[in-house]
Amino acid sequence: MFIAEYFLWHYYQGIRGLILIVRNYLKFFWNFFSIGILLSTLFFPWKKDITPSSWRGLHPVLFLQKLSYNFFAIFIGVFVRIPVIITGLIFELVTILLGVVALIFWVLLPGIFIASLFLVIKETEANSSAWVLISSVLLLIISSLMSAVSIISFYKLQKKDPEKMNLAELSKEEWFSRVWSRL
């Protein structure tokens, strides 16, 4: 029964949690680099000359001077915003790619763990090259760590929420005496 609950959690809540983590990172990078704001203000001047005119009528030299200053400010604005936008989009792309790799690895994790275990046993018995043995041991270590994280997460999520426990159940928790003594 435990194994069935674990696999149900692993393939439903685990995948859901991983997608949620990737989504939160995508939101974070989008907001951290202000990609939406920078795209909407891409062709705005970096600093626009909005000083009121001190002359009456059309003064061509002063008008062209103000116009050229504003065009130069637009160029600087684009020049400053584009690298930030590109950097943010690179972070977004890397997050998406790592998320897809993590999702694939998460889905295939039980199979990868079992396959890497058999591969290490086979390579040890066959006395094959050191490179193959090291890579298979490394794969076994990574899959073991991911499996351990998965199982620990499953155990922690199996605990009952303290808000839904009565006082007798709360008193059995290891942290209860520390909290109760402060009240």
Side-chain angles (χ1 to χ4, degrees), residues 2-176:
F2 168 77
I3 294 175
E5 289 176 2
Y6 169 72
F7 278 110
L8 182 66
W9 174 86
H10 181 83
Y11 285 110
Y12 177 68
Q13 289 179 338
I15 290 174
R16 189 170 169 233
L18 187 63
I19 290 171
L20 198 67
I21 289 170
V22 171
R23 188 191 77 184
N24 287 340
Y25 271 110
L26 289 173
K27 282 183 179 179
F28 170 75
F29 287 130
W30 187 267
N31 292 326
F32 182 76
F33 288 101
S34 304
I35 295 172
I37 295 170
L38 291 177
L39 282 172
S40 66
T41 61
L42 183 62
F43 293 107
F44 282 30
W46 188 248
K47 288 191 172 194
K48 186 176 182 179
D49 185 10
I50 56 168
T51 56
S53 303
S54 59
W55 66 86
R56 295 184 76 163
L58 180 64
H59 196 287
V61 173
L62 295 176
F63 176 75
L64 287 175
Q65 182 181 10
K66 189 182 248 188
L67 189 65
S68 66
Y69 177 80
N70 284 336
F71 276 127
F72 185 69
I74 289 172
F75 173 74
I76 289 180
V78 168
F79 186 72
V80 169
R81 288 179 185 109
I82 283 182
V84 176
I85 292 170
I86 290 172
T87 304
L89 291 176
I90 288 172
F91 271 84
E92 292 276 318
L93 182 65
V94 167
T95 302
I96 290 170
L97 292 175
L98 288 176
V100 167
V101 168
L103 185 64
I104 291 170
F105 195 79
W106 186 266
V107 168
L108 300 176
L109 182 63
I112 291 173
F113 177 71
I114 292 170
S116 62
L117 186 63
F118 284 129
L119 185 65
V120 167
I121 292 170
K122 180 186 149 229
E123 296 301 326
T124 306
E125 290 174 355
N127 291 331
S128 60
S129 70
W131 175 252
V132 174
L133 185 61
I134 289 173
S135 62
S136 58
V137 168
L138 187 63
L139 181 64
L140 179 64
I141 290 171
I142 291 171
S143 63
S144 299
L145 289 175
M146 286 287 291
S147 297
V149 166
S150 174
I151 291 170
I152 289 170
S153 299
F154 174 69
Y155 274 129
K156 287 191 177 198
L157 290 175
Q158 294 303 311
K159 286 189 174 184
K160 201 172 182 182
D161 191 17
E163 293 178 356
K164 297 176 182 173
M165 292 180 177
N166 59 26
L167 191 58
E169 292 173 331
L170 284 173
S171 65
K172 294 177 185 174
E173 294 291 324
E174 61 185 46
W175 50 265
F176 181 76

Side-chain angles (χ1 to χ4, degrees), residues 173-183:
E173 294 291 324
E174 61 185 46
W175 50 265
F176 181 76
S177 62
R178 291 178 292 198
V179 174
W180 191 260
S181 66
R182 293 181 187 238
L183 295 177

